[in-house]
Each structure stands twice: as C-alpha cells, then as structure tokens.
Amino acid sequence: MEPARHRGRLNPAYRTAAAMVLPFVKATTRQEWSGWENLPPEGGFVAAPNHISYFDPFSVSHFLYASGCEPYFLGKEEVFRIPVFGRLLLASGQVPVYRKTGRAADAYRAAVEGVEQGKCIVVFPEGTLTRDPDLWPMVGKTGAARIALQTRRPVVPLAHWGAQEVIPTYGKGIHLVPRHTMRVTAGPAVDLSDLYDRPIDSATLKVATERIMVEITDLLEGIRGGHAPAIRHDPRQAGEPDIGNFKKGKR
C-alpha cells in the first residue's frame, strides 16, 4: 500500500521517539495491514481502535505512522511518569489523561485542539483494556464520540489483533519470540453527520459511541475470525472498576 498522505514537519522530540520505537516494532513483529484508503486525505481526525494489550500503542502507531498519518495518543498519565521516555512523549505532543481528577478535561480540550490543527488523535473508546473474556470490544466510553462531534471531523474505526500475543491482556512479561503478526485495519469513517445539530448530551453521545463500537467490532471480526457476543461486555454491570487491572481484586 502507498501512504495515504504525508503530514507536516515533526518536532525533534517526536522524531526521536519515532526513531526509538519504530525500529523496535519492525524488528520484533510482522505486519498484515489494510484500509489505508479509509484514512482522510486531509485535515484532522479521530482514530478509534479496540484495546487488548499494553502493546497496542506500538502496533497502532506503526500502522498510522507508516501510512503518513503521524499519531498523537491520549494515554493514561502514569505512562508519562516513566523516566526520560515519559518526558519525551510529552514533548512530542502526546496527551496525558488524568483520569478521575479535576484535570481530566484538559485532555479533551487538547484533543479537540489537535484535531482542529489537522492531527490524527488516537482515542481508545473503551478507555481501558477490554474485560471481555474473549477480548472482544466492550461498552465504549464517550470520549472519541465527543471529540468527533465537537470538531465535526471524521472518526475512523480501527481494529487490530496480535498485540495480546506480545503482552498478554492484564498479564505480565513481554513475548517477542517467535515474532507475532500484527493485523491492523482501518474502516470507513463512522457517519455521525445526522447528530451534528443535536445537543452533545448523554443521549447523543451514547448513540454515537455505539455506532463507533459496532464498526470496530465488525472490523475485528473480519481480521480475527469468529463473531462477537450479541451483548457487549459492560464493566459497570459486571461490578468491575472503570480503570485499572480489575483482576487484582479477584485474587
């Protein structure tokens, strides 16, 4: 596939981070990619992938960067505390999310600004690693939909599979041998245009979020095989915490 487009100049911190991460991912994984033609040819957009492993950002960023759409992630602020690398991520323009704090809205504002500036902003709609026992997408949170509706820019569903072989979901250790295949695909932008003139309230966000999750799930069925459950896993109904490793409390 030819790159969908090329972005503008990257700051030195972004180039340094890319020089550290991309050779590692290329050397340790194989790729099966499709869907670059669905990435918007110009302007900012939201990329919305499923979330199955702490290796997801590596797999997803490789796919998007190679397409010409340099990604900017919304990520939990704990990652930005990692010595040296965390500061590099922050300087490169990645966006920390301070969950359950008064600063949570800062990430939303930064994401909206990024999309309006023409960036590819990556938001995992589930907000945390899936708790579905078979790793299907669970009930989504409203962040990706809210950003897309606020900016009226496309939200592109992504599905990927294979990252959980490198770092198991809620597991420990990193497994690089043998090399695992990262299957990643992008679908057409989710049509939210009929919601643009509605208030961005809980009802509108619920509709928009479910549309996004349906498209992600359909894409995932295509690359991993099988069928997702008819009823999406809901952590709240299951009595699980919104964030963090929910398995710790079960030990």
Side-chain angles (χ1 to χ4, degrees), residues 58-142:
F58 295 93
S59 176
V60 172
S61 63
H62 190 193
F63 173 82
L64 290 169
Y65 190 92
S67 78
C69 300
E70 295 85 1
Y72 293 85
F73 284 79
L74 267 66
K76 59 183 183 178
E77 59 90 17
E78 292 90 339
V79 175
F80 293 81
R81 298 184 205 162
I82 299 173
V84 181
F85 190 64
R87 294 181 65 181
L88 185 64
L89 290 177
L90 191 61
S92 72
Q94 310 305 313
V95 182
V97 179
Y98 297 88
R99 300 180 292 186
K100 303 294 185 180
T101 74
R103 299 180 61 186
D106 293 349
Y108 171 74
R109 287 191 289 267
V112 167
E113 182 179 344
V115 171
E116 291 176 340
Q117 291 175 347
K119 294 179 178 179
C120 166
I121 300 295
V122 183
V123 182
F124 292 100
E126 295 162 275
T128 191
L129 299 182
T130 182
R131 278 81 178 278
D132 182 272
D134 294 317
L135 305 187
W136 291 105
M138 58 182 182
V139 170
K141 298 184 184 299
T142 60

Side-chain angles (χ1 to χ4, degrees), residues 10-244:
L10 302 174
N11 69 35
Y14 197 116
R15 292 198 298 270
T16 300
M20 293 170 60
V21 171
L22 295 179
F24 164 74
V25 178
K26 290 179 183 179
T28 57
T29 64
R30 297 186 176 91
Q31 291 74 45
E32 288 185 7
W33 292 343
S34 62
W36 277 359
E37 69 277 6
N38 293 315
L39 301 175
E42 60 183 5
F45 67 98
V46 178
N50 58 310
H51 205 359
I52 54 177
S53 167
Y54 293 128
F55 196 74
D56 293 354
F58 295 93
S59 176
V60 172
S61 63
H62 190 193
F63 173 82
L64 290 169
Y65 190 92
S67 78
C69 300
E70 295 85 1
Y72 293 85
F73 284 79
L74 267 66
K76 59 183 183 178
E77 59 90 17
E78 292 90 339
V79 175
F80 293 81
R81 298 184 205 162
I82 299 173
V84 181
F85 190 64
R87 294 181 65 181
L88 185 64
L89 290 177
L90 191 61
S92 72
Q94 310 305 313
V95 182
V97 179
Y98 297 88
R99 300 180 292 186
K100 303 294 185 180
T101 74
R103 299 180 61 186
D106 293 349
Y108 171 74
R109 287 191 289 267
V112 167
E113 182 179 344
V115 171
E116 291 176 340
Q117 291 175 347
K119 294 179 178 179
C120 166
I121 300 295
V122 183
V123 182
F124 292 100
E126 295 162 275
T128 191
L129 299 182
T130 182
R131 278 81 178 278
D132 182 272
D134 294 317
L135 305 187
W136 291 105
M138 58 182 182
V139 170
K141 298 184 184 299
T142 60
R146 187 185 294 272
I147 296 166
L149 291 173
Q150 178 73 33
T151 61
R152 299 194 175 188
R153 292 297 303 165
V155 54
V156 176
L158 302 182
H160 67 102
W161 189 247
Q164 78 285 353
E165 300 292 343
V166 180
I167 301 179
T169 311
Y170 292 111
K172 295 182 179 180
I174 181 168
H175 308 283
L176 300 176
V177 179
R179 291 171 68 191
H180 299 290
T181 299
M182 303 295 108
R183 297 178 175 87
V184 190
T185 189
V190 180
D191 186 5
L192 303 179
S193 59
D194 60 307
L195 304 177
Y196 286 166
D197 294 326
R198 289 174 53 170
I200 305 179
D201 55 19
S202 59
T204 301
L205 290 169
K206 182 177 181 180
V207 171
T209 299
E210 182 56 20
R211 288 184 191 177
I212 294 168
M213 298 311 300
V214 166
E215 295 302 322
I216 294 171
T217 303
D218 287 349
L219 290 172
L220 186 58
E221 288 182 337
I223 62 173
R224 65 172 277 190
H227 297 283
I231 299 177
R232 209 177 299 284
H233 182 81
D234 187 338
R236 291 187 179 182
Q237 290 188 0
E240 298 164 353
D242 287 343
I243 59 177

